[in-house]
């Protein structure tokens, strides 16, 4: 799968997803300081799912109508280890019944929530 890791997504999680065979672009590797809108535009152009801890994406997508066609994964983890976000993403991808493309997925330790992007 193709992902775009937002600026604060942990390097260890990025590397773990890459080692699992996923195409991972990272804002921290060349686009630090980009706006969330610019990241969404890049993700659309590159057909990437956004990985972020930034709740502002939800406001952009649902309140302001900014499209995020491939989707967003937002880990809501209190004090995660640097590799924990990747573990949850890999868990989502391993479940064939889990649809994440075109969804806003909030990931937690106990449950996940998937909402369609408008």
């Amino acid at each position: 799968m193709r992902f775009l890791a937002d600026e604060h997504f942990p390097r260890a999680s990025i590397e773990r997803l890459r080692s699992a065979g996923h195409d991972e672009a990272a804002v921290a590797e060349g686009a630090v300081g980009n706006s969330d809108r610019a990241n969404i535009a890049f993700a659309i152009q590159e057909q990437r799912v956004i990985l972020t801890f930034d709740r502002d994406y939800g406001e952009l997508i649902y309140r302001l109508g900014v499209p995020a066609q491939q989707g967003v994964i937002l880990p809501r983890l209190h004090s995660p280890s640097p590799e924990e976000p990747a573990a949850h993403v890999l868990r989502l991808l391993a479940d064939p019944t889990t649809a994440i493309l075109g969804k806003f997925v909030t990931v937690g330790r106990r449950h996940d929530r998937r909402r369609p992007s408008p």
Side-chain angles (χ1 to χ4, degrees), residues 9-10 12-17 20 51 73 75 77 80-95 107-109 112:
F9 205 77
S13 282
I14 292 167
E15 293 302 326
R16 184 163 180 198
L17 290 168
L51 302 173
I73 297 176
L77 308 167
S81 71
E83 288 191 357
E84 187 178 4
H88 288 284
V89 171
L90 292 170
R91 174 183 52 78
L92 286 172
L93 296 174
D95 183 351
V107 176
R109 287 190 176 108
D112 306 320

Side-chain angles (χ1 to χ4, degrees), residues 93-112:
L93 296 174
D95 183 351
T97 65
T98 302
I100 63 169
L101 288 177
K103 308 274 189 221
F104 193 101
V105 182
T106 305
V107 176
R109 287 190 176 108
R110 296 177 194 204
H111 67 279
D112 306 320

Side-chain angles (χ1 to χ4, degrees), residues 2-76:
R2 295 170 57 88
F3 294 108
L4 172 63
D6 196 14
E7 200 166 341
H8 300 292
F9 205 77
R11 164 63 85 193
S13 282
I14 292 167
E15 293 302 326
R16 184 163 180 198
L17 290 168
R18 285 177 177 161
S19 69
H22 298 285
D23 181 341
E24 181 81 29
V27 171
E29 295 175 346
V32 174
N34 268 6
S35 70
D36 294 341
R37 285 179 187 260
N39 290 338
I40 289 173
F42 178 78
I44 289 170
Q45 178 184 350
E46 295 282 320
Q47 297 183 329
R48 294 180 182 276
V49 174
I50 298 170
L51 302 173
T52 187
F53 286 101
D54 186 349
R55 289 186 258 167
D56 290 345
Y57 281 90
E59 182 173 342
L60 284 170
I61 293 165
Y62 291 103
R63 242 176 125 219
L64 301 177
V66 176
Q69 296 168 341
Q70 293 301 106
V72 174
I73 297 176
L74 175 75
R76 296 291 306 259

